[in-house]
Each structure stands twice: as structure tokens, then as C-alpha cells.
Amino acid sequence: MVKVQIKNLRKCFGDLEVLKDIDFTVDDGEVVCVIGPSGSGKSTLLRCINALEVPTGGTIIVDDHEITDKHQDINKLRENIGMVFQQFNLFPHMTVKKNVMMAPVDRKKMTKEEADKKAVALLETVGLASKSDEYPDNLSGGQQQRVAIARALAMNPDVMLFDEPTSALDPEMVGDVLAVMKRLAEQGMTMIVVTHEMGFAREVADRVVFMDGGVIVEQGRPEDIFGNPQNERTIAFLNSVL
Amino acid sequence: MFEHVISVVTQALPKLCTGMALTIQMTLFGVIIAFIIGLIACLARISRFKIFSAVSGAYIYIIRGTPMLVQAFFLYFGVAQLLPFKLSKNLVGIITISLNAGAYMAEIFRGSIQSISKGQMEAARSLGLPYGTAMRKVILPQALRRSIPSLTNQVIISLKDVSILSAIGVAEIFQAGKIITARNMESTIIWTTVGAIYLIVVFLLTKLANYVERRTSYGQSTNKKSS
């Protein structure tokens, strides 16, 4: 079953065309890693999927709802699309637990008690139950990112978007965050991950997408993309990062 | 000599304190209303609806572009006197302070809101929160805290600006000082006393602001680990 369907997606910032006629689908339960040089449009593609960027043209359908339709209640649609940011973006004036509970309670998805229980359980799964009452500033980057994942999961999304989730982390913190993401993938979550972690892409992704210059240059199973890339731009990129 | 100073000060003090009490009252009401005006004007200013943004921009431009003395005269002689009902000097004074400080506070709030990283709004919206909720629960609590030092500054300015309202006859502390010196000719002693009273009030105000800032801080108390 198709979870995310993108057709003829275009995005311009002024005169700069960042996404050029992108067609892209993600199946239910699929884990897709998007790789490519900076400025290739991969983050913009991700941000179009939950309408943080408004596309210049084309359609995006998530779960049979057209994100690009102006008459849709975008807030309702976003509840089902979790997002994790490079800079974590935890709310610094709320405790860790409050960060996780806030949206489900505010959007009336859960009662306070349910959200509390859910937050405790989620923090448990990301290994941070003991930090519930701390403020984000007192956590390391890796811990903050795991809280951010828990916060996104609290809304029970059925698609998760990761925008370079480990790029702002010290190397020794990366492993914990990737482990949480890997477990999520194994549980069958549909995930789109923009990443520079080639090891993660190779190991966890069902499909790897290589973007450059606003187009999808090549995509396929990780063993094919990493083992036997066809396009010369893919080969050049992989040579420079591996 | 010393006894003379003491006697002039003790004679003037009750009137000066009554004046300062009025100054504080007018400042208090003024800045509370200004806070509300400032918040609304700020949200209008950053709104994507052009009409709100334009109206708020014009308001801020007019207030910042004219002296408060002119604003007070305009409101008292130019507006209040033409109304069919009577507005007291003090009420017009409070309105003047509110409108004046409101414009400056709007800019203070706008600066603080824009200093909050864009990622905060994006994170809130990505969870499905509508713009208003994200503003109220995520952006404003952080922005208002960052505003405290500048707001304190504005409150101090407004406290001192109340003296301008003596020009429309408000019996605040400066007006009280003028009346006393006109009678006893003791300018040096009276204005020193008036200045000292201002300094004491501003000192207490600063202490209060520091206390509020400490109380509203989050997460900085325990040891910060490196990321």
C-alpha cells in the first residue's frame, strides 16, 4: 500500500529551483533513506511532505489526504506525520515529559492521564525515563534528540520524517539515536530519513534515494546503490563520502 | 544649616510622597494596559494579514515619531475636551502612558519573538498545533521571558515619563515639587529629594525585575552537560 505519493513536485525559492519535478512514492512500512550533497534539495523535499515548505507545484498525498490541497486542515494531517529535526527543537521551557505530552493533550488526542502514561512509556523505550523531569538544556545532544523522537511518536504518527537527525551530534552520541531509529524501523514504522549516515542507510533502509541538483538521480536497494551505483554523479558522491 | 535642610525635607515629604504614590499608580495601570496593547500590536505587526500589520505599523510609527508631551496635549486638549463626557486628567494621563509604552513594548515583544529560533515554531507546527496555539504555548512563554530586561527598562522610562504629565496638570511628584519650590524657593533641597525618591523607587523596581527573571528561568540551575 502506498503511504506517501509525490507527483511532479516543484519548489522554488525566488529564482532558485530547489526541487525539479520530483516523483516519489513510499510504501507502508518502508524505510527510505535520502542521501545526496548539501543543496541537493533533500531537506526541502522532506519539509514539503508536512507542508513546512509550501510546494510551488505538484501534489503530495499522504494516507489518501492531499497535503497540497488548500482546503485540507493541515494541522489535522500533520498529526499523523511525525518530524525530527537536525537541531532537535525541544521546547526549552518545558520539562522532558511535558515536551512529549503537550501536543497529544492540546490536540485532544489523549487525556492528561493517557498522555502521561504514553510519555513515560515512550521515554522508557528511548532510554530516558530517568530524565522525565529535567529541562532539555540539561540533556546532552543525543539525549535531546531521543526525546525529540519520543515527542514526535507521542502523536501516534504513521509516517516519520527525519531531517539529518544525527548531523548536529558529537560522534559518540550518534549511535544511541540511530539505535532508537533502527528499532522504530523494525517495528514497521514508515520512515523517510534524510541522512549522511551511510552505515545506517546501508543497514536499515529498504530503499536508498540519491538526490542531486533538485532531482532524484538514482534509487534502489541499499546493496545496489552502495555496491553497484550506475549514475556517475552517484559514484562521485559515494566516492567522496565513503 | 543641617536643621534647616531637615525641616524643609520633612515639610515637603508628605506632599512629595503623595505625588510619588500617584506616579506609581499611573505607571502601574499604564504599563499593565501597555503590556496588553503591546502584545496585540506586536502580534498584529507580525501577522500575515497585511491590514493588521499596516495598522499596527502606523500606530508604532506615530507614537515613536512624536514626543509624549505632544501626545498628552493632543489627547487632553485635542480629544478629551471635545468629548461630551468628562475625562479626568489622571485618566487621560494613564491613556497617554498606555498608548506610548504600548508602542515601545510592541517592538520589544517583536524583537524577542524573532529572537526565538524558527525551529521552535516549526517543531510545534509539525506536531499539528495551529499557529495560535504554537504562539501561545511555545513561542510567547520563551519570548516574554527574554523581554523582561527590556520591559523593565520601559517601565522605568514610563515611570519617569509620568512627570511629563505635569504639563496637563496631573499632580504627580514632579508637579508636587514645582508647587513646593514655587512657595519656599528651596530648589536645591526639593529637587535633590525628588531625585532621591525616584532613585529609591527605580532601585526597588530593578530588584523586583531581577527576582521575576530568576523565578521564570528554566533548566539552568543544574549542571549543564556538553552536547
Side-chain angles (χ1 to χ4, degrees):
Chain A
M1 195 193 110
V2 174
K3 199 81 183 172
V4 180
Q5 185 165 42
I6 298 176
K7 273 193 195 142
N8 305 112
L9 177 65
R10 285 181 59 246
K11 173 69 187 175
C12 301
F13 293 111
D15 288 339
L16 185 70
E17 194 174 21
V18 183
L19 296 176
K20 300 167 184 163
D21 211 21
I22 301 260
D23 288 309
F24 180 52
T25 57
V26 178
D27 287 336
D28 197 10
E30 197 181 13
V31 178
V32 177
C33 283
V34 184
I35 61 172
S38 4
S40 58
K42 49 197 195 310
S43 283
T44 308
L45 170 65
L46 202 68
R47 291 162 57 84
C48 282
I49 296 173
N50 67 352
L52 282 184
E53 301 290 353
V54 180
T56 310
T59 54
I60 299 173
I61 296 167
V62 179
D63 275 331
D64 301 324
H65 297 288
E66 192 180 333
I67 301 283
T68 34
D69 179 357
K70 292 211 162 39
H71 304 291
Q72 287 277 4
D73 177 4
I74 188 62
N75 298 319
K76 198 83 202 136
L77 300 183
R78 278 179 177 144
E79 289 179 10
N80 295 321
I81 309 172
M83 183 150 187
V84 176
F85 299 84
Q86 183 176 352
Q87 298 296 340
F88 334 131
N89 296 340
L90 291 181
F91 307 134
H93 58 301
M94 298 178 189
T95 62
V96 162
K97 196 204 252 176
K98 190 83 200 301
N99 261 278
V100 179
M101 284 174 64
M102 193 266 275
V105 174
D106 187 84
R107 300 316 294 149
K108 307 220 166 17
K109 268 208 159 179
M110 298 170 200
T111 64
K112 239 184 169 143
E113 291 70 34
E114 287 166 346
D116 190 284
K117 225 190 245 169
K118 174 111 190 162
V120 171
L122 281 170
L123 289 171
E124 188 84 45
T125 61
V126 299
L128 291 170
S130 63
K131 302 286 184 190
S132 301
D133 297 323
E134 292 276 0
Y135 283 88
D137 283 351
N138 296 330
L139 267 52
S140 73
Q143 292 170 332
Q144 289 193 46
Q145 193 60 299
R146 285 184 278 153
V147 174
I149 295 173
R151 178 177 68 176
L153 290 173
M155 291 298 278
N156 291 325
D158 40 33
V159 182
M160 283 284 284
L161 311 176
F162 293 85
D163 189 2
E164 304 198 24
T166 57
S167 296
L169 299 178
D170 286 345
E172 75 267 26
M173 305 285 177
V174 170
D176 291 339
V177 172
L178 292 182
V180 168
M181 290 168 63
K182 188 173 171 207
R183 214 169 327 130
L184 197 56
E186 286 162 359
Q187 287 161 7
M189 176 64 77
T190 308
M191 292 165 59
I192 306 175
V193 186
V194 170
T195 186
H196 293 292
E197 297 293 334
M198 298 304 155
F200 177 81
R202 193 193 289 260
E203 190 187 348
V204 180
D206 298 308
R207 177 156 52 109
V208 174
V209 173
F210 173 69
M211 280 184 75
D212 191 16
V215 293
I216 293 176
V217 174
E218 190 169 354
Q219 54 179 317
R221 294 183 309 162
E223 50 269 38
D224 294 334
I225 295 289
F226 291 112
N228 184 22
Q230 301 299 314
N231 190 291
E232 57 185 274
R233 280 195 280 174
T234 318
I235 296 168
F237 174 74
L238 290 174
N239 276 337
S240 67
V241 295
L242 289 178
Chain B
M1 169 66 193
F2 188 64
E3 278 101 55
H4 173 66
V5 172
I6 295 290
S7 101
V8 171
V9 170
T10 36
Q11 270 182 23
L13 217 47
K15 287 218 169 67
L16 293 180
C17 286
T18 314
M20 185 42 108
L22 183 61
T23 296
I24 291 173
Q25 253 176 49
M26 293 184 68
T27 309
L28 193 69
F29 286 122
V31 296
I32 288 171
I33 301 168
F35 187 92
I36 298 162
I37 293 176
L39 208 54
I40 294 169
C42 159
L43 292 174
R45 189 86 186 93
I46 60 177
S47 159
R48 62 198 160 92
F49 298 108
K50 291 247 160 52
I51 173 81
F52 291 153
S53 176
V55 168
S56 171
Y59 158 64
I60 292 166
Y61 174 69
I62 290 168
I63 295 294
R64 289 204 301 188
T66 56
M68 199 176 98
L69 187 57
V70 175
Q71 294 159 14
F73 270 51
F74 171 76
L75 287 174
Y76 188 60
F77 298 112
V79 178
Q81 305 288 359
L82 304 180
L83 295 174
F85 48 90
K86 192 163 161 29
L87 282 181
S88 74
K89 290 169 185 170
N90 291 4
L91 193 56
V92 175
I94 290 171
I95 294 170
T96 310
I97 291 283
S98 308
L99 288 174
N100 185 274
Y104 290 99
M105 285 190 189
E107 288 295 278
I108 291 171
F109 293 142
R110 189 166 69 95
S112 322
I113 287 174
Q114 285 173 347
S115 79
I116 305 293
S117 112
K118 259 181 68 193
Q120 289 288 310
M121 181 53 98
E122 288 182 349
R125 298 303 308 273
S126 79
L127 290 164
L129 301 183
Y131 176 84
T133 312
M135 205 40 142
R136 193 163 43 84
K137 294 206 158 168
V138 175
I139 307 298
L140 284 180
Q142 299 181 60
L144 290 182
R145 182 176 181 278
R146 270 186 209 184
S147 304
I148 293 173
S150 309
L151 283 179
T152 309
N153 217 16
Q154 183 56 48
V155 173
I156 290 172
I157 291 172
S158 291
L159 178 87
K160 294 188 294 185
D161 276 357
V162 170
S163 63
I164 293 172
L165 300 173
S166 64
I168 58 169
V170 172
E172 45 70 58
I173 180 169
F174 177 73
Q175 178 79 348
K178 263 191 349 190
I179 293 169
I180 295 167
T181 48
R183 212 173 300 153
N184 66 8
M185 301 295 176
E186 296 285 1
S187 287
T188 314
I189 299 172
I190 296 301
W191 294 124
T192 307
T193 313
V194 168
I197 294 173
Y198 269 114
L199 283 171
I200 292 166
V201 173
V202 169
F203 175 79
L204 295 175
L205 202 61
T206 314
K207 286 278 164 219
L208 179 71
N210 290 344
Y211 172 76
V212 172
E213 195 169 1
R214 265 201 317 279
R215 279 298 302 269
T216 53
S217 72
Y218 36 77
Q220 275 99 8
S221 50
T222 37
N223 289 344
K224 197 168 178 167
K225 289 171 207 144
S226 74
S227 51

